[in-house]
Amino acid sequence: MEHPRRAQILRTIVEDYVHSREPVGSKALVERHRLPVSSATVRNDMAALEEDGLIAAPHTSSGRIPTDRGYRVFVDQIAALQPLTPAQRRAVQVFLDGAHDLDDVMERTVRLLAQLTHQVAVIQYPVRTGDTVRHVELAAVQGDALLVVLIPSSGRVVQRTLVLGEPVDEAGVLELRAAVLARVLGRPLETVPGAVVDLPAALPEPLRGAGRAVAEALTALAAASDDHRLVMADTANLARFSGDFPQSISPVLEALEEQVTMLRLLSEMQQDERGVAVRIGSEEFDDPLAEAAVVATGYGPRDASKVGVVGPTRMDYPTTMASVRAVARYLSKNLGD
């Protein structure tokens, strides 16, 4: 946002509303935050924020609350995530170190994340099927785009189209394909991320950018080819926030219960430079989650699987984002050890 004072006012409205669940008025903002401007100035700024669709007035109040778009602008302005406190870090380490096997690690992870965030915690993890890579096909399409097709032994074809910075000629595509096949053909799907990690370095300089993109795509496609399980904790937390779902929490509960919607959304979420992915309300969501927010991040080899939380859009985003990222990092370290 180009206007610093309006950005500050939006931030304080979000923070106050998340904390109190009460619509925020201009007078309260000036008094509570000791803003160096008058209530009239704040009212003008709030009117501009409302015109931009970042805040709105509930029917029963003269105060304002953030819209989904307002939350998005707020989230995008969070420059850096605060680390967990030393006490929290020790608690996380002790809690996860006590696990006996993979299932126990996953159960402990979601319970821990639910406790830290007071939201519903979810974790997606692959159930090994024994599938191997039957074939990989690469094809140049539409100028600088490259189609990557993975065919596992199950026969369930998955594909992704990559937009490269520059086109790769036919000879380059053949060289890239040969390098990929030499690394992954006949291998178990779960070993694909490790098999392609050195792919870029093995290619000539002009193909290394395309090699990195293909390696990332194959890692994601191999994860998508596995059957995934969704483990959840504290779905009862949604009931605590039932007032934050204007229609009903039922669609959200149903989406969690049937798992297919959540698994698809988690697999599609792309984390940003801060290491997290945040989806808010109706922006890109299917109807069942139109009134919810999801904060997730990757864990494990090449961040191919996801862990995160589901809750109302009135969420403490900075704390939730930091907690999700921290738990994912501990989880990756735990699995690596």
Side-chain angles (χ1 to χ4, degrees):
M1 184 181 292
E2 296 180 1
H3 198 297
R5 191 178 64 239
R6 287 175 189 166
Q8 179 190 10
I9 289 171
L10 175 63
R11 185 170 65 250
T12 55
I13 290 172
V14 170
E15 291 170 349
D16 284 6
Y17 183 63
V18 166
H19 176 73
S20 69
R21 201 175 155 193
E22 295 292 331
V24 183
S26 57
K27 184 178 178 183
L29 274 182
V30 172
E31 293 175 352
R32 190 178 298 127
H33 298 278
R34 299 180 180 178
L35 299 178
V37 292
S38 67
S39 294
T41 298
V42 173
R43 276 196 300 276
N44 288 336
D45 286 337
M46 288 175 69
L49 291 171
E50 187 169 9
E51 187 174 338
D52 289 341
L54 303 179
I55 60 176
H59 300 306
T60 57
S61 171
S62 59
R64 299 294 183 272
I65 65 174
T67 62
D68 289 353
R69 189 176 168 200
Y71 284 124
R72 167 54 60 194
V73 171
F74 170 80
V75 165
D76 288 348
Q77 288 176 342
I78 300 171
L81 303 184
Q82 294 298 313
L84 298 185
T85 65
Q88 285 174 319
R89 290 200 298 272
R90 284 193 299 271
V92 169
Q93 191 68 62
V94 169
F95 195 74
L96 292 184
D97 280 350
H100 304 300
D101 54 31
L102 179 62
D103 287 340
D104 195 17
V105 169
M106 297 302 160
E107 295 285 353
R108 283 172 177 260
T109 299
V110 288
R111 280 163 43 208
L112 172 67
L113 192 52
Q115 290 171 14
L116 287 173
T117 63
H118 309 293
Q119 309 288 354
V120 181
V122 295
I123 189 165
Q124 162 213 37
Y125 74 100
V127 179
R128 302 307 180 199
T129 60
D131 282 355
T132 57
V133 178
R134 180 187 295 173
H135 188 58
V136 173
E137 190 56 72
L138 305 180
V141 291
Q142 298 174 347
D144 62 350
L146 188 68
L147 177 66
V148 182
V149 182
L150 173 65
I151 306 174
S153 55
S154 66
R156 184 174 63 184
V157 178
V158 287
Q159 63 186 49
R160 176 171 293 188
T161 300
L162 309 177
V163 178
L164 307 174
E166 55 188 29
V168 178
D169 62 22
E170 185 177 351
V173 172
L174 290 175
E175 184 174 357
L176 188 52
R177 176 175 170 270
V180 167
L181 289 173
R183 283 165 174 74
V184 305
L185 194 61
R187 297 189 60 141
L189 286 176
E190 61 266 26
T191 67
V192 168
V196 298
V197 69
D198 70 337
L199 176 64
L203 294 166
E205 181 63 40
L207 288 177
R208 286 181 183 171
R212 277 190 293 273
V214 169
E216 290 172 5
L218 286 172
T219 295
L221 291 174
S225 299
D226 266 328
D227 288 333
H228 282 79
R229 194 181 157 207
L230 192 70
V231 180
M232 291 173 284
D234 287 0
T235 51
N237 276 337
L238 278 183
R240 294 173 49 237
F241 300 105
S242 59
D244 287 300
F245 296 91
Q247 303 300 321
S248 169
I249 64 171
S250 296
V252 183
L253 289 170
E254 289 168 6
L256 288 168
E257 186 174 336
E258 71 180 21
Q259 297 198 4
V260 176
T261 299
M262 277 309 307
L263 285 169
R264 181 171 59 78
L265 285 173
L266 288 172
S267 67
E268 290 175 355
M269 292 178 75
Q270 300 293 315
Q271 58 201 49
D272 58 26
E273 64 278 0
R274 297 167 300 190
V276 292
V278 183
R279 287 190 173 183
I280 301 169
S282 57
E283 58 169 29
E284 305 181 59
F285 270 160
D286 288 341
D287 286 344
L289 293 168
E291 294 178 354
V294 180
V295 177
T297 190
Y299 74 90
R302 305 293 293 272
D303 290 340
S305 298
K306 298 292 199 310
V307 59
V309 299
V310 181
T313 56
R314 187 183 67 89
M315 180 186 288
D316 181 350
Y317 289 100
T319 300
T320 301
M321 292 161 69
S323 298
V324 167
R325 189 183 66 173
V327 168
R329 287 180 174 178
Y330 277 103
L331 176 60
S332 293
K333 180 178 182 298
N334 190 288
L335 293 175
D337 294 341

